Amino acid sequence: GEMPDEAVLREVEEEIGLPATLQSYLGMYEFYRSNQLLIAYHVTVESLDVTLCKNEIADHKWVPIEEVKPWTAGTGKALRDWLRLRGIEREMVDFDTAHN
């Protein structure tokens, strides 16, 4: 069967049309609103030329590391931890107002 890291790389390519490189595993995070358990990885891509799979993902945006703010739910907590690993502490913004 497929290993989780292989599944992550396959999903990234399916959803944004770019091959990715796995950098590290971040952790598991609860996302209570959708009753989900999120398994977060840090992956990198060589291009910004995203082609979205509209059936899988609604939108994307690139946010510079200097400006990105983690939010209080799900993947926002993974982002907080990813930033911490780089010595960057950021205040978390409320999930409901973080969508902008």
Side-chain angles (χ1 to χ4, degrees):
E2 189 174 52
M3 298 301 292
D5 54 343
E6 294 168 338
V8 166
L9 296 176
R10 178 181 46 76
E11 285 293 320
V12 169
E13 189 158 5
E14 282 178 11
E15 293 185 15
I16 67 169
L18 293 172
T21 302
L22 185 66
Q23 300 298 330
S24 64
Y25 166 77
L26 282 172
M28 289 193 278
Y29 302 86
E30 295 108 351
F31 186 48
Y32 295 109
R33 290 170 190 235
S34 300
N35 196 29
Q36 294 175 340
L37 179 64
L38 307 173
I39 304 171
Y41 290 85
H42 171 205
V43 302
T44 54
V45 293
E46 296 289 323
S47 167
L48 302 182
D49 190 20
V50 170
T51 306
L52 294 183
C53 175
K54 291 296 185 186
N55 299 337
E56 297 279 343
I57 189 167
D59 201 1
H60 83 288
K61 93 175 158 181
W62 297 105
V63 180
I65 193 170
E66 301 81 28
E67 297 174 20
V68 72
K69 292 182 181 146
W71 48 96
T72 54
T75 51
K77 293 177 181 176
L79 175 59
R80 173 203 59 201
D81 292 349
W82 182 84
L83 288 165
R84 270 191 187 146
L85 288 170
R86 280 144 190 80
I88 301 169
E89 282 292 330
R90 295 267 162 80
E91 193 172 328
M92 295 181 84
V93 295
D94 184 73
F95 177 76
D96 293 318
T97 59
H99 295 355
N100 305 348

